[in-house]
Amino acid sequence: PLPEPSATGRLPVDSRHTLYWEECGNRDGAPIVFLHGGPGGGCLPHHRRFFDPDHWRIVLYDQRGAGRSTPNASVIDNTTWALVADLEKLRAHLGIDRFVLFGGSWGATLALAYAETYPQRCAGLVLRGVFLATPREIDWFMHGMGRIFPEAWHALYGFLPEDEREDVLGAYYRRLTDDDPAVHLPAAYAWDRYETTCSTLLPRVETGPQVADDAAALAIARIEAHYFVHNAFLDDGQLLANLHRIRHLPCTIVHGRYDVVCPMETAYELAQAWPEAELVVVPDAGHSVREPGIARERVAAVERMKGRRLG
């Protein structure tokens, strides 16, 4: 059942950005924090349902520029390391000593970046649809997915005027960061249709936007493009290189066999570098957290985390 928040708040993290956060579940339970995808995706009510509210103190929040955090869709001072610092400020604000990190897609990237920076503050990790934010993965997103979903890629590519098609990512970034809604909103919805179409094992029948509104569409498209243009503010291979800092922590990796957005090879590479981690391959799923197999295995991973020695 969907638990309702027992507490909500807004946390200023600098002179510009303020984060929305909420808690539900057992106030005296083991803390676990949900890290949403995107970047820029924001949290939704159904994200609360991955956790047993009798056991866990469940924390969800919207990262910079996403969801109910303000200012919406802002890429100013929006970097991976700013998000890591924000999560540490939220932990301190809520008076939590250590928590389990539960992140999917970009949320898995952020979970690894935070854990490697503050290993003493992490009790364990549950990761889904692993994305390590390497140039190879970003190039796959912008071009390689078209090998599996050519119709979706040609729609993304064809949205651009012919003289902008040589650099698809750069062209979208320029449009998405334009101040004029007549320029950035159509680009945001084109980006959203592309990503959404490629996110499930079976292509969706509907072709309309899958985000809630203009603000949500702009946030995920603009912030994703911003991070992609800047290689997620990470050195190539940085997250794998620093795994030695967290290999003592319990970790489960859940990944769909037919994940096209974040191909299976990335999760396998992470598991090979982290042999102590548990890798669960969902045989009948793509990338989306809403796919039944992904949801089932994520809940099961959190249940198993209850019985582990955390931290």
Side-chain angles (χ1 to χ4, degrees):
L2 181 66
E4 291 300 319
S6 55
T8 65
R10 307 191 69 83
L11 175 66
V13 288
D14 64 15
S15 61
R16 178 181 301 272
H17 291 277
T18 298
L19 307 186
Y20 169 85
W21 62 266
E22 63 183 38
E23 280 193 30
C24 57
N26 182 354
R27 183 63 176 76
D28 297 318
I32 191 165
V33 60
F34 178 89
L35 301 176
H36 66 70
C43 290
L44 297 171
H46 78 90
H47 294 151
R48 305 173 199 146
R49 300 184 64 201
F50 292 111
F51 317 99
D52 176 1
D54 292 331
H55 179 85
W56 298 102
R57 178 183 177 183
I58 306 158
V59 178
L60 302 93
Y61 76 103
D62 294 327
Q63 298 156 29
R64 293 190 178 207
R68 291 149 290 185
S69 293
T70 57
N72 177 72
S74 175
V75 295
I76 299 173
D77 299 326
N78 198 333
T79 71
T80 300
W81 304 110
L83 300 189
V84 167
D86 290 348
L87 180 53
E88 176 60 8
K89 290 174 184 176
L90 179 63
R91 181 201 62 77
H93 176 72
L94 296 177
I96 295 172
D97 182 43
R98 292 179 301 178
F99 42 33
V100 175
L101 299 175
F102 181 98
S105 196
W106 165 257
T109 319
L110 181 55
L112 290 168
Y114 177 88
E116 291 174 357
T117 305
Y118 296 102
Q120 73 278 14
R121 297 304 182 186
C122 295
L125 300 93
V126 176
L127 309 174
R128 185 272 310 171
V130 173
F131 178 62
L132 298 178
T134 62
R136 180 188 66 185
E137 293 167 275
I138 293 168
D139 182 72
W140 170 264
F141 182 95
M142 296 308 308
H143 301 282
M145 293 199 304
R147 298 173 62 182
I148 312 298
F149 291 95
E151 305 95 332
W153 187 85
H154 279 280
L156 180 81
Y157 179 79
F159 169 83
L160 298 171
E162 288 189 16
D163 61 352
E164 296 183 35
R165 294 175 183 174
E166 185 174 343
D167 177 11
V168 175
L169 176 56
Y172 268 93
Y173 188 50
R174 287 189 294 274
R175 287 175 171 270
L176 290 165
T177 53
D178 193 290
D179 290 336
D180 186 353
V183 176
H184 62 236
L185 282 178
Y189 281 113
W191 182 287
D192 171 65
R193 282 191 295 270
Y194 172 62
E195 183 170 6
T196 301
T197 300
C198 299
S199 290
T200 54
L201 175 59
L202 298 178
R204 295 175 181 269
V205 175
E206 64 269 23
T207 57
Q210 299 303 309
V211 288
D213 52 36
D214 290 351
L218 181 61
I220 193 165
R222 178 185 283 174
I223 297 174
E224 277 189 359
H226 170 69
Y227 274 71
F228 288 179
V229 163
H230 293 95
N231 288 318
F233 306 92
L234 296 166
D235 295 331
D236 191 4
Q238 181 174 345
L239 296 178
L240 288 181
N242 290 330
L243 276 180
H244 63 277
R245 299 177 181 174
I246 58 172
R247 280 181 53 181
H248 63 285
L249 297 174
C251 176
T252 297
I253 303 162
V254 176
H255 209 98
R257 171 68 70 186
Y258 301 104
D259 188 334
V260 173
V261 176
C262 297
M264 175 68 203
E265 65 177 347
T266 303
Y268 185 76
E269 185 178 16
L270 176 62
Q272 290 293 106
W274 194 349
E276 298 86 358
E278 173 190 31
L279 174 63
V280 177
V281 180
V282 184
D284 57 351
H287 183 70
S288 174
V289 69
R290 292 179 180 269
E291 299 213 70
I294 296 290
R296 179 184 67 245
E297 293 299 340
R298 290 188 75 170
V299 170
V302 175
E303 287 295 295
R304 289 194 298 277
M305 193 66 72
K306 288 180 182 178
R308 294 183 177 183
R309 182 179 178 182
L310 300 181

